[in-house]
Amino acid sequence: MVEGWHRASRLVVDAAAIRQNVKKEIERLDHQSELFAVIKADAYGHGLIPVARYTEQAGATGFCVAILDEALTLREAGFAEPILVLGITNVKWAALAAEKNVSLTVGDVEWLTKAAPQLTAEHPLKVHLALDTGMGRIGFQESDGLNQAAKLLIKDPRFVFEGVFTHFATADEKDPTYFNLQVDRFHKLVDTLPEKPRYVHVSNTATSLWHAACNGNLIRFGVGIYGMNPSGTVLEPPYDLQPAMTLESRLSFSKLLKKGRSVSYGATYTAEQDEWIGTIPIGYADGYPRCLQGFHVLVDGHFCEIVGRVCMDQLMIRLPHEYPAGTPVILAGQSQGKSISMTDIADYVGTINYEITCGFTERLPRVYKNNDIVK
């Protein structure tokens, strides 16, 4: 149990796995390329500040986040590395970002013209121009607006033209057609710039894993940090990604359920014979999806089916035989040579592994192991 927590369910995050995943990716990069760790959304549920430290130790030279608040949290924690906010920030916070040396993403000229009066040459704002080459989310689509923005950044001492980038929609898929279309659009737009900024980047984890030739000089390494395959099971990564998160608990109760008795809300499961049922203190309020009825967990190396609907705070499983309360349970991770991955859970739910780890709530304490650096 964790001090201050009084329930067995918890997330265990392996610092060694995180460092290894980052180091392996850095080894594949050329000497001119940098790796920024994407640690938005509380580091995909793994913990913002601890993961920032582990990736820094492994050689990441900067960070990417989604919102300004995440960047400010890193600054308050003492991180001095470059930080890029990937989403659009309200223009009224431009001066604050400049003061904290946080780089912002900009996708239109109007944002720059509104920000300029708030800024000074003593604290210029570092800007990355986003290009919408097919994601349809944010950024410039035409060269005219892009060039107008670039020229403004270059001539105005209140700004630093630090980067230009795009984001690929299908880098994790087998068919390269749409990916190649985006690559072509990106190059055509970038080739019109009056000058190139320090960073020209396109690569998220999937792009760097399977399309390294497109990398540019900055990698936005995200889900790979956590040992999850961005394509699920569609494409094999070029090296083994080490899962960093284990979801574990213990049986809180065990009972013999008689034939014909039912389990959980809606009585959707009825025992066809006498069987042992175990209760685990975790549920959808912890981010363990309600629709996982019929999936499984691991108890003593046995796959045990989840029977009945997952409740808000508890779920029930069918045991192969009697086990006492307190018996360890693995909901994601390894037990005696068998494993359940976040991708396994995601496939059953019909989503992606990112969503599963991002969905775990604060009720599950994050416990960190292998914090010491091992050379």
Side-chain angles (χ1 to χ4, degrees), residues 75-124:
R75 287 286 182 252
E76 289 168 6
F79 291 95
E81 289 87 351
I83 303 173
L84 170 61
V85 177
L86 294 170
I88 300 297
T89 303
N90 191 306
V91 70
K92 68 181 180 180
W93 304 120
L96 175 61
E99 177 190 347
K100 298 298 183 180
N101 193 27
V102 172
S103 305
L104 296 185
T105 291
V106 173
D108 62 84
V109 176
E110 182 182 4
W111 194 100
L112 296 174
T113 58
K114 289 182 177 179
Q118 307 174 42
L119 303 170
T120 67
E122 289 74 26
H123 293 287

Side-chain angles (χ1 to χ4, degrees), residues 206-228:
T207 305
S208 192
L209 289 177
W210 296 297
H211 308 278
C214 298
N215 272 347
N217 58 7
L218 172 63
I219 310 304
R220 307 185 302 266
F221 198 56
V223 71
I225 291 172
Y226 315 102
M228 295 187 291

Side-chain angles (χ1 to χ4, degrees), residues 248-295:
E248 64 182 32
S249 188
R250 292 177 181 271
L251 295 181
S252 61
F253 197 79
S254 179
K255 62 185 175 293
L256 182 64
L257 190 73
K258 294 294 185 178
K259 178 181 178 180
R261 296 294 294 265
S262 298
V263 176
S264 197
Y265 292 109
T268 56
Y269 176 83
T270 300
E272 295 182 356
Q273 58 189 8
D274 292 357
E275 54 195 34
W276 284 94
I277 300 295
T279 300
I280 307 170
I282 189 172
Y284 60 79
D286 301 290
Y288 193 78
R290 184 173 181 269
C291 59
L292 281 170
Q293 177 178 352
F295 191 62

Side-chain angles (χ1 to χ4, degrees), residues 65-310:
V65 294
I67 58 177
L68 181 58
D69 293 307
E70 293 170 333
L72 297 178
T73 298
L74 289 170
R75 287 286 182 252
E76 289 168 6
F79 291 95
E81 289 87 351
I83 303 173
L84 170 61
V85 177
L86 294 170
I88 300 297
T89 303
N90 191 306
V91 70
K92 68 181 180 180
W93 304 120
L96 175 61
E99 177 190 347
K100 298 298 183 180
N101 193 27
V102 172
S103 305
L104 296 185
T105 291
V106 173
D108 62 84
V109 176
E110 182 182 4
W111 194 100
L112 296 174
T113 58
K114 289 182 177 179
Q118 307 174 42
L119 303 170
T120 67
E122 289 74 26
H123 293 287
L125 176 66
K126 295 176 180 176
V127 171
H128 289 234
L129 296 179
L131 308 186
D132 180 7
T133 61
M135 186 68 180
R137 194 160 59 181
I138 60 172
F140 295 90
Q141 298 182 74
E142 305 295 337
S143 59
D144 289 347
L146 173 62
N147 275 270
Q148 185 181 349
K151 290 174 182 176
L152 190 158
L153 293 176
I154 293 166
K155 72 178 183 180
D156 194 329
R158 293 170 293 185
F159 294 104
V160 175
F161 185 20
E162 186 177 58
V164 61
F165 73 100
T166 196
H167 189 68
F168 293 122
T170 62
D172 55 356
E173 297 180 6
K174 285 184 177 179
D175 186 350
T177 305
Y178 196 74
F179 176 85
N180 291 335
L181 173 64
Q182 284 195 257
V183 171
D184 183 61
R185 288 172 176 170
F186 180 75
H187 287 309
K188 286 180 178 177
L189 285 170
V190 170
D191 287 345
T192 68
L193 289 172
E195 66 179 56
K196 301 292 193 301
R198 175 181 177 183
Y199 295 117
V200 178
H201 53 112
V202 299
S203 289
N204 56 3
T205 297
T207 305
S208 192
L209 289 177
W210 296 297
H211 308 278
C214 298
N215 272 347
N217 58 7
L218 172 63
I219 310 304
R220 307 185 302 266
F221 198 56
V223 71
I225 291 172
Y226 315 102
M228 295 187 291
N229 185 336
S231 77
T233 58
V234 175
L235 298 172
E236 284 295 320
Y239 56 88
D240 288 335
L241 293 165
Q242 300 299 313
M245 180 183 283
T246 297
L247 175 57
E248 64 182 32
S249 188
R250 292 177 181 271
L251 295 181
S252 61
F253 197 79
S254 179
K255 62 185 175 293
L256 182 64
L257 190 73
K258 294 294 185 178
K259 178 181 178 180
R261 296 294 294 265
S262 298
V263 176
S264 197
Y265 292 109
T268 56
Y269 176 83
T270 300
E272 295 182 356
Q273 58 189 8
D274 292 357
E275 54 195 34
W276 284 94
I277 300 295
T279 300
I280 307 170
I282 189 172
Y284 60 79
D286 301 290
Y288 193 78
R290 184 173 181 269
C291 59
L292 281 170
Q293 177 178 352
F295 191 62
H296 52 262
V297 303
L298 280 165
V299 177
D300 192 29
H302 297 282
F303 287 110
C304 298
E305 182 182 346
I306 297 172
V307 295
R309 291 174 177 157
V310 174

